[in-house]
Amino acid sequence: MSSVQHVLGIECTAHTFGCGIISSEAAVLSNIKSEYTPKAGGIHPREASQHHTEFASATVKEALQRSGLTLSKIDAIAFSSGPGLGPCLRTGATVARMLSLLIDKPLIPVNHCIAHIEIGRAITKEDDPLVVYVSGGNTIVSAYSDGRYRIFGETLDVALGNCLDTFARALGLPHPGVPKLEALANEGKIFIPLPYVVKGQDMSYSGLLTTAIRQIGKTEPKDLSLSLLEVAYGMLAEVTERALAHTEKASVLLTGGVARSLRLQRILASVCREHNARFYVVPPDLAGDNGAMIAWAGYLAFRENLSVPVECSFIRPKWRLDEVEVPWRK
Amino acid sequence: MAEMNLKLIKKGAEAELYRGQWLGYDAIFKRRVRKEYRNADLDAYIRGSRTSLEAKLLAQARKLGVPTPVVLFVDLRNYEIIMNHIPGISVKKLIDTLDVPSVKSLFSTIGEMVGRLHLGGLVHGDLTTSNILVFNNSVFFIDFGLGEYTSELEARGVDIHLMRRALESSHHAVSKVAYTSFIDGYKGIMKEMGKEILIRVDEIRRRGRYVEGER
């Protein structure tokens, strides 16, 4: 056995089917994605899973080709077993189980949120950051403490990305909505009060979304967009600040699909300046859903012998981040 | 206000705390600072409403028999509350030094105090172990910035839920013991009403994302 090991990761929780290959030295050898884009409306879980079934094989092949490795050089197969949409998770898990059986190598279930955190830590080389993870499905402020990633603030209902996407669609902006929403907001001048809901450590976006949608037609779209973003990001900034003050971490790591928002980056950078914390943004390739992050988190678990037999490789659509033991951090 | 010799003692999430003298009192100056990243209108609204409400709640809590700092002065132009300094230690810091019986008795007292707040028609809104100080064998509640005047089941439930979350995220080792004692103390004050509130607390928890028994 060579000293360098390789792990292949399958990401398949929502709109992206991703396959990535990493080496034990945290080098991303390849990271290929195929993204499902709904013709209208939001993600339809069954249609998304059909897309993933269709593109799985080509995506895995391309990832292998780019990495310059053959399947026989892979030491473990990792897959995102939750949280996510059931039909998508089942498709990803099926592909991973098949690959694991084919090459007779361990199968590693990975928590999707942990993968976002771990790839961020690896590429920024920031050992112990406060993580702000925002995407279409998750809005979590988390930090490591006593064996697990603890949650110091999260959405109580819809995710930030979901809130913005839904509003953008209601305004008639085409996919992807958030950049267009931000461009519109940059022209906005007048701030309209909208529900700003911070409950202790947590935030709630559902009332904000409903109110904003009801204002469409009554308020200029640019002013409404400005107000929505100000309130939505403002709430997240406040929760981040609270978590930073409470945990006293020295840095903040922004990741997830919404991490690419320049407006949000500016806001969190300002929060960090005020608290003398270092600020990192994971680059879009590795911040959005991708296979490489699953492979890397899978490698960390693989080192701890956390593999499962195929017959026990269940998916966990509602697997909370703070349920997972992370022995590699001890 | 022209304050002399103010010393910054804590940069909190939304406010800066300074310590200094105010008319001969050893005082804390809590100043809600401008957030550069926030829209100016939203910023002024949040700072103004929280400052004035917090001052009222601090005073009201004392009337209900819950120790809080005494409000000495409120300066709404500068979004500042001046209150007397409590030379105590936060429960967050204290908890790790306590044995199990002491944790039980401390949290039973905390539960009782929260019961008094709720019974008196207010909620704290941000019950964490950083916001409770122990001094002279009394527990002092600080930071009512997210508090409200309300007797709604939901708001009371959220208060209890937040305490549970704070214990689970920051004090995992003793969270069960602490929470059980907290609830015992709370129920002692709330009596029959306590049951209904605790049912709501479980509902709020289940409403959370991906938790056991979620609808």
Side-chain angles (χ1 to χ4, degrees):
Chain A
M1 199 157 107
S2 72
S3 55
V4 179
Q5 294 181 303
H6 300 106
V7 177
L8 181 148
I10 301 286
E11 156 59 25
C12 195
T13 55
H15 50 64
T16 299
F17 182 92
C19 180
I21 296 167
I22 59 94
S23 76
S24 49
E25 292 150 328
V28 175
L29 303 181
S30 66
N31 194 19
I32 308 296
K33 311 171 193 184
S34 169
E35 200 178 320
Y36 152 81
T37 311
K39 286 184 196 74
I43 298 179
H44 188 304
R46 190 186 59 226
E47 282 176 11
S49 74
Q50 281 164 354
H51 164 275
H52 300 334
T53 308
E54 192 180 333
F55 290 91
S57 162
T59 310
V60 172
K61 271 186 198 152
E62 193 182 339
L64 278 166
Q65 208 168 36
R66 288 275 179 92
S67 72
L69 299 173
T70 56
L71 256 184
S72 59
K73 289 282 190 298
I74 301 293
D75 299 282
I77 304 290
F79 73 107
S80 51
S81 56
L85 304 172
C88 301
L89 290 170
R90 277 190 286 278
T91 302
T94 305
V95 173
R97 289 173 193 133
M98 185 272 291
L99 288 170
S100 160
L101 289 173
L102 188 69
I103 60 175
D104 194 23
K105 289 288 161 64
L107 180 64
I108 323 279
V110 168
N111 178 290
H112 177 87
C113 309
I114 299 261
H116 273 290
I117 295 175
E118 294 302 348
I119 195 76
R121 286 180 61 227
I123 59 156
T124 59
K125 299 200 165 53
E126 188 64 27
D127 186 53
D128 190 26
L130 179 76
V131 179
V132 179
Y133 164 35
V134 272
S135 67
N138 292 287
T139 307
I140 294 175
V141 177
S142 165
Y144 176 81
S145 161
D146 191 21
R148 291 183 190 197
Y149 287 104
R150 309 284 172 186
I151 295 178
F152 291 94
E154 65 184 319
T155 178
L156 294 169
D157 35 62
V158 296
L160 174 56
N162 191 355
C163 168
L164 301 183
D165 275 340
T166 307
F167 178 76
R169 279 201 300 275
L171 267 188
L173 301 173
H175 180 88
V178 179
K180 297 184 182 76
L181 197 60
E182 295 208 337
L184 200 56
N186 288 340
E187 297 166 20
K189 293 270 181 311
I190 303 164
F191 175 79
I192 312 140
L194 293 171
Y196 182 101
V197 188
V198 172
K199 293 187 181 185
Q201 319 179 78
D202 298 326
M203 56 223 122
S204 160
Y205 287 110
S206 61
L208 170 63
L209 175 60
T210 307
T211 313
I213 289 176
R214 283 187 186 153
Q215 281 295 321
I216 293 176
K218 297 180 193 151
T219 309
E220 282 283 312
K222 58 184 184 187
D223 294 332
L224 194 49
S225 303
L226 167 76
S227 309
L228 174 71
L229 290 179
E230 276 295 327
V231 172
Y233 291 163
M235 281 156 57
L236 179 64
E238 180 175 352
V239 167
T240 304
E241 260 194 289
R242 282 174 181 275
L244 203 50
H246 184 73
T247 61
E248 294 171 350
K249 300 284 181 191
S251 61
V252 171
L253 180 79
L254 174 63
T255 189
V258 188
R260 74 189 69 181
S261 155
L262 295 178
R263 198 180 190 100
L264 180 59
Q265 288 178 14
R266 263 202 314 275
I267 289 174
L268 292 184
S270 158
V271 168
C272 288
R273 268 198 307 281
E274 273 181 47
H275 291 265
N276 293 319
R278 297 181 292 276
F279 180 54
Y280 300 90
V281 182
V282 178
D285 242 28
L286 293 170
D289 293 354
N290 67 89
M293 70 178 193
I294 303 295
W296 176 242
Y299 169 68
L300 296 174
F302 174 55
R303 263 191 343 200
E304 306 287 335
N305 297 316
L306 294 173
S307 64
V308 290
V310 165
E311 56 274 23
C312 299
S313 59
F314 306 112
I315 58 158
R316 302 181 64 178
K318 298 183 174 184
W319 196 9
R320 274 181 73 85
L321 166 65
D322 56 3
E323 288 173 45
V324 189
E325 298 278 351
V326 287
W328 56 85
R329 289 281 318 247
K330 276 177 187 151
Chain B
M1 291 265 109
E3 304 95 1
M4 306 300 283
N5 300 321
L6 287 189
K7 208 176 119 211
L8 181 68
I9 56 165
K10 188 170 163 57
K11 226 171 135 65
E14 59 166 352
E16 286 170 353
L17 296 185
Y18 294 88
R19 187 164 168 197
Q21 290 289 312
W22 193 84
L23 297 180
Y25 288 97
D26 182 3
I28 293 290
F29 297 70
K30 177 169 182 174
R31 203 170 281 167
R32 286 190 159 77
V33 289
R34 165 95 178 92
K35 297 292 176 193
E36 183 227 306
Y37 61 79
R38 201 150 59 188
N39 172 284
D41 295 343
L42 176 63
D43 190 69
Y45 170 75
I46 290 175
R47 287 198 288 162
S49 60
R50 286 186 185 170
T51 302
S52 87
L53 187 57
E54 175 169 21
K56 291 179 212 162
L57 293 172
L58 280 166
Q60 183 63 24
R62 287 186 78 81
K63 287 188 194 158
L64 298 171
V66 176
T68 59
V70 177
V71 175
L72 302 170
F73 191 76
V74 183
D75 180 356
L76 275 179
R77 275 174 318 180
N78 293 313
Y79 309 105
E80 181 174 66
I81 297 175
I82 304 171
M83 58 193 123
N84 82 314
H85 173 245
I86 310 291
I89 171 172
S90 75
V91 170
K92 184 189 178 193
K93 291 208 177 89
L94 188 66
I95 199 166
D96 295 330
T97 68
L98 297 178
D99 56 14
V100 171
S102 311
V103 168
K104 281 185 177 165
S105 106
L106 173 61
F107 275 85
S108 163
T109 309
I110 293 173
E112 219 174 279
M113 293 299 156
V114 174
R116 284 191 203 173
L117 291 178
H118 285 188
L119 209 56
L122 57 96
V123 298
H124 183 278
D126 191 15
L127 279 180
T128 66
T129 48
S130 313
N131 285 339
I132 306 171
L133 308 178
V134 175
F135 172 62
N136 245 349
N137 288 321
S138 294
V139 291
F140 282 76
F141 286 69
I142 58 169
D143 197 354
F144 282 72
L146 293 179
E148 268 184 273
Y149 281 107
T150 176
S151 296
E152 273 178 29
L153 201 56
E154 173 73 13
R156 289 173 171 176
V158 168
D159 243 7
I160 308 295
H161 172 71
L162 291 174
M163 174 53 86
R164 188 181 191 173
R165 279 281 308 276
L167 287 170
E168 284 171 354
S169 58
S170 297
H171 310 289
H172 204 68
V174 292
S175 73
K176 282 218 170 70
V177 170
Y179 184 68
T180 310
S181 309
F182 172 80
I183 291 301
D184 286 344
Y186 182 72
K187 280 202 288 204
I189 297 288
M190 298 302 279
K191 310 275 189 242
E192 277 307 298
M193 241 184 304
K195 284 185 194 157
E196 203 186 349
I197 295 166
L198 291 175
I199 292 170
R200 180 60 71 99
V201 172
D202 282 333
E203 237 178 81
I204 292 168
R205 189 182 180 82
R206 281 199 306 276
R207 221 184 282 156
R209 295 165 64 82
Y210 310 153
V211 292
E212 201 76 19
E214 183 192 0
R215 282 168 303 158

